[in-house]
Amino acid sequence: MSETSSQDRIIQLHQLLNQYNHQYYVLDQPTVPDAEYDRLMRELIALENKYPKLKSIDSPSQRVGGEALKVFSQVTHQLPMLSLDNVFSAQEWQSFVTRISDRLGTSNNIEFCAEPKLDGLAVSLRYEQGVFVQAATRGDGSVGENITENVRTIKSIPLRLSGEDYPEVIEVRGEVFMPKASFEKLNATAIAKNEKTFANPRNAAAGSLRQLDSKITAKRNLAFYAYGLGYVEHQQSTEKAQQWLAKSHYQRLCQLKTLGFAMCPEVKLLKSTEQVDSFYRDILAKRDQLSYEIDGTVFKVDSIEQQKRLGFVARAPRWATAYKFPAQEELTLLQGVEFQVGRTGAITPVARLQPVSVGGVTVSNATLHNQDEITRLGIKVGDTVIIRRAGDVIPQIVSVVLERRPEDAKEITFPTECPVCQSSAIKVEGEAVLRCSGGLFCGAQRKEAIKHFSSRKALDIDGLGDKLVEQMVDEGLIQTPADLFSLTELSISTMERMGQKSASNLINAIEKSKETTLAKFIYALGIREVGEATANNLATHFLTLAKIKSANEDELQKVSDVGVIVAKNIYNFFKQPHNIEVVEQLESILTWPEINNKSADEQPLLGKTFVLTGTLNQMGRNDAKAKLQTLGAKVSGSVSANTHYLVAGEKAGSKLTKAQDLGINIMTEDDLVALLANHGVS
């Protein structure tokens, strides 16, 4: 490559690496795997080494990390926080050893402190007189973000050092990370709340440290392992500070351990370069069993005196390197795409791949998530793709090798009907997922539909738990909620662990559930995003099921709390023949009292909007909401200029502040109880 073309490529690499740096360090939303970033960085460094005059001071090769976020105050590091160079093979490792041996003038007596390369966020902790006073991220190596209050919530970080023998000022450096178990729990909670999940533990840890509310950080169960020291100062003399510091990197970690810091249990002192390969292979073999994520190993020359002699390059110490694990990626062909229906109706594209071995496992399938992901990848059937598999994680397609695309590559076309039940497939505006609209009928969704239908806030069928529903569906006793009412004591008593008495009790509970209310029945249907309050609003607005079924989207949006998306969900649900079939079966079985239009006297709070916040001790928030709605009030979840009253319970937060700023009437729980009592509601 000529110098001119190299200059063009370097400019392109600057743009790409700066973009990836910003996504990784600032936004916590990486879009490429580390292996791709490393490849581009190595390409840039190689070009700069070949043409030194093309290396600029603003080159990504001269940077350490990302810029400090402006929402946090900034901290200038008294000693720079540098990153590490990487090696990826035994040959590159040997080249590293040769370089440091040449600089030291010896190949003997080079010991290494070895540790796993934690996949978290590097931080510096400052202690003055033994008390924790400040925490900062690495940032760009010179200036980081002040995250003191968030770090203070991490239980593995001491707020006061143990013992008495330590300098007046000491900076401890290490990695904040999220254990795998905490990460899985965090994402499971997010999924249950229909919230965005984190891509990996590193993103989760970084996102948690950058919360503006430290109470959120405290709930994330972060951990910290110390891996070194930064600035150290002894007020009496620099010499005394140097006397306190051990002459070995490993011994300095041991010093930190005596001060109360956690040290990664896998850290070892290696007496020779020959032990490095054994350590690397041992950590790689147990990688999936470790309780935290790693992406390689780190080797540091143990002698502090030798570290000083080796010194630094612009962005990294010469005396340390990260020996990265091979990326668990491979090339294969996308042979086709099939569509699977999940238990919530999500229709997910699944890639059928030409079988290939990745990390010792044969991979033939990978998830494509949704249409947005397919568009982002720009993928077509017939493409050569890069797939990645890490541990037990489901394989995913990372990117497409466009230069290998065949002329007959085919576009991926999403179905218009559910592949399981042939109900219409719909995509709600604002959502990336395509969904089956046949919720009550679809075989892929029937277990969840029946569980919801029989739950306490719906038909409340006592004794019909989740496991029993699954067993009944698996044994073919029920397929839709309507089938529950055809069950007999005999058919139930033949099931495993179901005696005659249990069967009789369940039949009685099913019989009792036949008398319900229109609001509970609407809620029990499991229409997407139609909760208790919306179901109640629909019932009181339309008064009959027939009117709800025949309402168009505009008419539905006239109901309190029903917006464009919810109206579309309701309309689509009642336009599916399969759903109507089950609903009509249920109508012939269930009964509910007629709802009469209430007079103005019966709805004295009509036209008034309330917001509930904080903890209510005399009644639950749901009970308070229901009681207000019976009097005609609208209960909203957010404060606005249209809010008439805010009911503030214990520990009321930002909603109370906003209401006060807007001059909205504030009520205590006692005020609410008195208001309800005045209108005959207790």
PDB file of all heavy atoms in Angstrom, residues 456-478:
ATOM      1  N   ARG A 456     -55.084 -14.634  39.773  1.00  0.00           N
ATOM      2  CA  ARG A 456     -55.887 -14.053  40.854  1.00  0.00           C
ATOM      3  C   ARG A 456     -56.626 -12.801  40.421  1.00  0.00           C
ATOM      4  O   ARG A 456     -57.798 -12.597  40.772  1.00  0.00           O
ATOM      5  CB  ARG A 456     -54.976 -13.729  42.051  1.00  0.00           C
ATOM      6  CG  ARG A 456     -55.726 -13.179  43.262  1.00  0.00           C
ATOM      7  CD  ARG A 456     -54.778 -12.942  44.418  1.00  0.00           C
ATOM      8  NE  ARG A 456     -53.761 -11.965  44.097  1.00  0.00           N
ATOM      9  CZ  ARG A 456     -53.939 -10.640  44.174  1.00  0.00           C
ATOM     10  NH1 ARG A 456     -55.113 -10.149  44.558  1.00  0.00           N
ATOM     11  NH2 ARG A 456     -52.966  -9.812  43.888  1.00  0.00           N
ATOM     12  N   LYS A 457     -55.973 -11.916  39.649  1.00  0.00           N
ATOM     13  CA  LYS A 457     -56.609 -10.663  39.258  1.00  0.00           C
ATOM     14  C   LYS A 457     -57.538 -10.834  38.061  1.00  0.00           C
ATOM     15  O   LYS A 457     -58.233  -9.892  37.685  1.00  0.00           O
ATOM     16  CB  LYS A 457     -55.538  -9.610  38.956  1.00  0.00           C
ATOM     17  CG  LYS A 457     -54.725  -9.208  40.181  1.00  0.00           C
ATOM     18  CD  LYS A 457     -53.669  -8.178  39.822  1.00  0.00           C
ATOM     19  CE  LYS A 457     -52.853  -7.795  41.047  1.00  0.00           C
ATOM     20  NZ  LYS A 457     -51.802  -6.793  40.719  1.00  0.00           N
ATOM     21  N   ALA A 458     -57.545 -12.022  37.467  1.00  0.00           N
ATOM     22  CA  ALA A 458     -58.422 -12.287  36.323  1.00  0.00           C
ATOM     23  C   ALA A 458     -59.605 -13.114  36.812  1.00  0.00           C
ATOM     24  O   ALA A 458     -60.402 -12.649  37.613  1.00  0.00           O
ATOM     25  CB  ALA A 458     -57.630 -12.984  35.217  1.00  0.00           C
ATOM     26  N   LEU A 459     -59.724 -14.400  36.361  1.00  0.00           N
ATOM     27  CA  LEU A 459     -60.852 -15.238  36.788  1.00  0.00           C
ATOM     28  C   LEU A 459     -60.647 -15.822  38.189  1.00  0.00           C
ATOM     29  O   LEU A 459     -61.580 -16.346  38.792  1.00  0.00           O
ATOM     30  CB  LEU A 459     -61.065 -16.365  35.778  1.00  0.00           C
ATOM     31  CG  LEU A 459     -62.085 -16.079  34.662  1.00  0.00           C
ATOM     32  CD1 LEU A 459     -63.494 -16.103  35.207  1.00  0.00           C
ATOM     33  CD2 LEU A 459     -61.830 -14.754  33.972  1.00  0.00           C
ATOM     34  N   ASP A 460     -59.421 -15.756  38.701  1.00  0.00           N
ATOM     35  CA  ASP A 460     -59.106 -16.177  40.076  1.00  0.00           C
ATOM     36  C   ASP A 460     -59.581 -17.605  40.358  1.00  0.00           C
ATOM     37  O   ASP A 460     -60.395 -17.846  41.259  1.00  0.00           O
ATOM     38  CB  ASP A 460     -59.728 -15.209  41.080  1.00  0.00           C
ATOM     39  CG  ASP A 460     -59.195 -15.423  42.503  1.00  0.00           C
ATOM     40  OD1 ASP A 460     -58.122 -16.056  42.635  1.00  0.00           O
ATOM     41  OD2 ASP A 460     -59.842 -14.982  43.464  1.00  0.00           O
ATOM     42  N   ILE A 461     -59.052 -18.564  39.590  1.00  0.00           N
ATOM     43  CA  ILE A 461     -59.403 -19.972  39.791  1.00  0.00           C
ATOM     44  C   ILE A 461     -58.443 -20.559  40.817  1.00  0.00           C
ATOM     45  O   ILE A 461     -57.285 -20.860  40.514  1.00  0.00           O
ATOM     46  CB  ILE A 461     -59.350 -20.759  38.466  1.00  0.00           C
ATOM     47  CG1 ILE A 461     -60.295 -20.113  37.443  1.00  0.00           C
ATOM     48  CG2 ILE A 461     -59.707 -22.221  38.702  1.00  0.00           C
ATOM     49  CD1 ILE A 461     -60.289 -20.791  36.090  1.00  0.00           C
ATOM     50  N   ASP A 462     -58.903 -20.697  42.030  1.00  0.00           N
ATOM     51  CA  ASP A 462     -58.079 -21.169  43.136  1.00  0.00           C
ATOM     52  C   ASP A 462     -57.611 -22.600  42.878  1.00  0.00           C
ATOM     53  O   ASP A 462     -58.401 -23.470  42.514  1.00  0.00           O
ATOM     54  CB  ASP A 462     -58.892 -21.099  44.438  1.00  0.00           C
ATOM     55  CG  ASP A 462     -58.030 -21.369  45.654  1.00  0.00           C
ATOM     56  OD1 ASP A 462     -56.839 -20.984  45.631  1.00  0.00           O
ATOM     57  OD2 ASP A 462     -58.536 -21.971  46.621  1.00  0.00           O
ATOM     58  N   GLY A 463     -56.326 -22.841  43.079  1.00  0.00           N
ATOM     59  CA  GLY A 463     -55.775 -24.191  42.926  1.00  0.00           C
ATOM     60  C   GLY A 463     -55.240 -24.498  41.545  1.00  0.00           C
ATOM     61  O   GLY A 463     -54.616 -25.545  41.337  1.00  0.00           O
ATOM     62  N   LEU A 464     -55.464 -23.597  40.569  1.00  0.00           N
ATOM     63  CA  LEU A 464     -54.961 -23.848  39.212  1.00  0.00           C
ATOM     64  C   LEU A 464     -53.643 -23.097  39.041  1.00  0.00           C
ATOM     65  O   LEU A 464     -53.602 -21.996  38.494  1.00  0.00           O
ATOM     66  CB  LEU A 464     -55.987 -23.399  38.167  1.00  0.00           C
ATOM     67  CG  LEU A 464     -55.665 -23.759  36.708  1.00  0.00           C
ATOM     68  CD1 LEU A 464     -55.513 -25.260  36.539  1.00  0.00           C
ATOM     69  CD2 LEU A 464     -56.743 -23.231  35.772  1.00  0.00           C
ATOM     70  N   GLY A 465     -52.568 -23.717  39.517  1.00  0.00           N
ATOM     71  CA  GLY A 465     -51.246 -23.094  39.440  1.00  0.00           C
ATOM     72  C   GLY A 465     -50.592 -23.283  38.085  1.00  0.00           C
ATOM     73  O   GLY A 465     -51.095 -24.008  37.220  1.00  0.00           O
ATOM     74  N   ASP A 466     -49.438 -22.637  37.908  1.00  0.00           N
ATOM     75  CA  ASP A 466     -48.736 -22.667  36.624  1.00  0.00           C
ATOM     76  C   ASP A 466     -48.352 -24.091  36.205  1.00  0.00           C
ATOM     77  O   ASP A 466     -48.511 -24.474  35.042  1.00  0.00           O
ATOM     78  CB  ASP A 466     -47.475 -21.798  36.693  1.00  0.00           C
ATOM     79  CG  ASP A 466     -47.811 -20.318  36.754  1.00  0.00           C
ATOM     80  OD1 ASP A 466     -49.007 -19.980  36.614  1.00  0.00           O
ATOM     81  OD2 ASP A 466     -46.882 -19.497  36.930  1.00  0.00           O
ATOM     82  N   LYS A 467     -47.826 -24.857  37.159  1.00  0.00           N
ATOM     83  CA  LYS A 467     -47.379 -26.214  36.814  1.00  0.00           C
ATOM     84  C   LYS A 467     -48.551 -27.093  36.394  1.00  0.00           C
ATOM     85  O   LYS A 467     -48.422 -27.932  35.484  1.00  0.00           O
ATOM     86  CB  LYS A 467     -46.638 -26.836  38.000  1.00  0.00           C
ATOM     87  CG  LYS A 467     -45.278 -26.201  38.273  1.00  0.00           C
ATOM     88  CD  LYS A 467     -44.533 -26.930  39.385  1.00  0.00           C
ATOM     89  CE  LYS A 467     -43.156 -26.302  39.605  1.00  0.00           C
ATOM     90  NZ  LYS A 467     -42.408 -26.980  40.700  1.00  0.00           N
ATOM     91  N   LEU A 468     -49.683 -26.912  37.051  1.00  0.00           N
ATOM     92  CA  LEU A 468     -50.853 -27.710  36.708  1.00  0.00           C
ATOM     93  C   LEU A 468     -51.361 -27.335  35.307  1.00  0.00           C
ATOM     94  O   LEU A 468     -51.770 -28.209  34.528  1.00  0.00           O
ATOM     95  CB  LEU A 468     -51.957 -27.497  37.747  1.00  0.00           C
ATOM     96  CG  LEU A 468     -53.194 -28.404  37.629  1.00  0.00           C
ATOM     97  CD1 LEU A 468     -52.800 -29.879  37.602  1.00  0.00           C
ATOM     98  CD2 LEU A 468     -54.161 -28.120  38.773  1.00  0.00           C
ATOM     99  N   VAL A 469     -51.336 -26.043  34.977  1.00  0.00           N
ATOM    100  CA  VAL A 469     -51.736 -25.621  33.636  1.00  0.00           C
ATOM    101  C   VAL A 469     -50.827 -26.269  32.600  1.00  0.00           C
ATOM    102  O   VAL A 469     -51.289 -26.806  31.578  1.00  0.00           O
ATOM    103  CB  VAL A 469     -51.673 -24.082  33.504  1.00  0.00           C
ATOM    104  CG1 VAL A 469     -51.819 -23.663  32.044  1.00  0.00           C
ATOM    105  CG2 VAL A 469     -52.766 -23.426  34.344  1.00  0.00           C
ATOM    106  N   GLU A 470     -49.521 -26.222  32.839  1.00  0.00           N
ATOM    107  CA  GLU A 470     -48.574 -26.803  31.888  1.00  0.00           C
ATOM    108  C   GLU A 470     -48.819 -28.300  31.717  1.00  0.00           C
ATOM    109  O   GLU A 470     -48.756 -28.838  30.604  1.00  0.00           O
ATOM    110  CB  GLU A 470     -47.142 -26.541  32.366  1.00  0.00           C
ATOM    111  CG  GLU A 470     -46.750 -25.066  32.291  1.00  0.00           C
ATOM    112  CD  GLU A 470     -45.350 -24.808  32.819  1.00  0.00           C
ATOM    113  OE1 GLU A 470     -44.662 -25.785  33.166  1.00  0.00           O
ATOM    114  OE2 GLU A 470     -44.951 -23.633  32.888  1.00  0.00           O
ATOM    115  N   GLN A 471     -49.093 -28.968  32.839  1.00  0.00           N
ATOM    116  CA  GLN A 471     -49.352 -30.407  32.786  1.00  0.00           C
ATOM    117  C   GLN A 471     -50.618 -30.704  31.974  1.00  0.00           C
ATOM    118  O   GLN A 471     -50.644 -31.627  31.151  1.00  0.00           O
ATOM    119  CB  GLN A 471     -49.489 -30.959  34.208  1.00  0.00           C
ATOM    120  CG  GLN A 471     -49.561 -32.484  34.277  1.00  0.00           C
ATOM    121  CD  GLN A 471     -49.682 -32.980  35.713  1.00  0.00           C
ATOM    122  OE1 GLN A 471     -49.584 -32.208  36.662  1.00  0.00           O
ATOM    123  NE2 GLN A 471     -49.917 -34.271  35.877  1.00  0.00           N
ATOM    124  N   MET A 472     -51.667 -29.912  32.192  1.00  0.00           N
ATOM    125  CA  MET A 472     -52.929 -30.122  31.463  1.00  0.00           C
ATOM    126  C   MET A 472     -52.754 -29.909  29.954  1.00  0.00           C
ATOM    127  O   MET A 472     -53.289 -30.654  29.142  1.00  0.00           O
ATOM    128  CB  MET A 472     -54.003 -29.181  32.001  1.00  0.00           C
ATOM    129  CG  MET A 472     -54.544 -29.563  33.366  1.00  0.00           C
ATOM    130  SD  MET A 472     -55.783 -28.365  33.920  1.00  0.00           S
ATOM    131  CE  MET A 472     -56.419 -29.208  35.374  1.00  0.00           C
ATOM    132  N   VAL A 473     -51.990 -28.870  29.601  1.00  0.00           N
ATOM    133  CA  VAL A 473     -51.752 -28.601  28.176  1.00  0.00           C
ATOM    134  C   VAL A 473     -50.910 -29.719  27.566  1.00  0.00           C
ATOM    135  O   VAL A 473     -51.206 -30.220  26.474  1.00  0.00           O
ATOM    136  CB  VAL A 473     -51.059 -27.236  27.988  1.00  0.00           C
ATOM    137  CG1 VAL A 473     -50.651 -27.044  26.522  1.00  0.00           C
ATOM    138  CG2 VAL A 473     -51.987 -26.105  28.413  1.00  0.00           C
ATOM    139  N   ASP A 474     -49.867 -30.124  28.280  1.00  0.00           N
ATOM    140  CA  ASP A 474     -48.988 -31.184  27.768  1.00  0.00           C
ATOM    141  C   ASP A 474     -49.739 -32.496  27.567  1.00  0.00           C
ATOM    142  O   ASP A 474     -49.437 -33.264  26.638  1.00  0.00           O
ATOM    143  CB  ASP A 474     -47.812 -31.399  28.724  1.00  0.00           C
ATOM    144  CG  ASP A 474     -46.835 -30.229  28.714  1.00  0.00           C
ATOM    145  OD1 ASP A 474     -46.847 -29.460  27.721  1.00  0.00           O
ATOM    146  OD2 ASP A 474     -46.064 -30.075  29.690  1.00  0.00           O
ATOM    147  N   GLU A 475     -50.726 -32.769  28.445  1.00  0.00           N
ATOM    148  CA  GLU A 475     -51.473 -34.020  28.340  1.00  0.00           C
ATOM    149  C   GLU A 475     -52.697 -33.893  27.432  1.00  0.00           C
ATOM    150  O   GLU A 475     -53.486 -34.830  27.292  1.00  0.00           O
ATOM    151  CB  GLU A 475     -51.888 -34.490  29.738  1.00  0.00           C
ATOM    152  CG  GLU A 475     -50.686 -34.859  30.612  1.00  0.00           C
ATOM    153  CD  GLU A 475     -51.090 -35.431  31.968  1.00  0.00           C
ATOM    154  OE1 GLU A 475     -52.278 -35.786  32.128  1.00  0.00           O
ATOM    155  OE2 GLU A 475     -50.218 -35.530  32.856  1.00  0.00           O
ATOM    156  N   GLY A 476     -52.884 -32.705  26.841  1.00  0.00           N
ATOM    157  CA  GLY A 476     -53.955 -32.526  25.866  1.00  0.00           C
ATOM    158  C   GLY A 476     -55.341 -32.332  26.468  1.00  0.00           C
ATOM    159  O   GLY A 476     -56.342 -32.437  25.757  1.00  0.00           O
ATOM    160  N   LEU A 477     -55.421 -32.021  27.769  1.00  0.00           N
ATOM    161  CA  LEU A 477     -56.736 -31.825  28.402  1.00  0.00           C
ATOM    162  C   LEU A 477     -57.348 -30.483  28.031  1.00  0.00           C
ATOM    163  O   LEU A 477     -58.566 -30.348  27.954  1.00  0.00           O
ATOM    164  CB  LEU A 477     -56.608 -31.936  29.924  1.00  0.00           C
ATOM    165  CG  LEU A 477     -56.290 -33.329  30.492  1.00  0.00           C
ATOM    166  CD1 LEU A 477     -56.154 -33.253  32.005  1.00  0.00           C
ATOM    167  CD2 LEU A 477     -57.376 -34.321  30.114  1.00  0.00           C
ATOM    168  N   ILE A 478     -56.494 -29.464  27.844  1.00  0.00           N
ATOM    169  CA  ILE A 478     -56.987 -28.132  27.500  1.00  0.00           C
ATOM    170  C   ILE A 478     -56.109 -27.523  26.414  1.00  0.00           C
ATOM    171  O   ILE A 478     -54.902 -27.790  26.355  1.00  0.00           O
ATOM    172  CB  ILE A 478     -57.015 -27.181  28.723  1.00  0.00           C
ATOM    173  CG1 ILE A 478     -55.639 -27.146  29.421  1.00  0.00           C
ATOM    174  CG2 ILE A 478     -58.094 -27.575  29.700  1.00  0.00           C
ATOM    175  CD1 ILE A 478     -55.566 -26.171  30.579  1.00  0.00           C
TER     176      ILE A 478
END
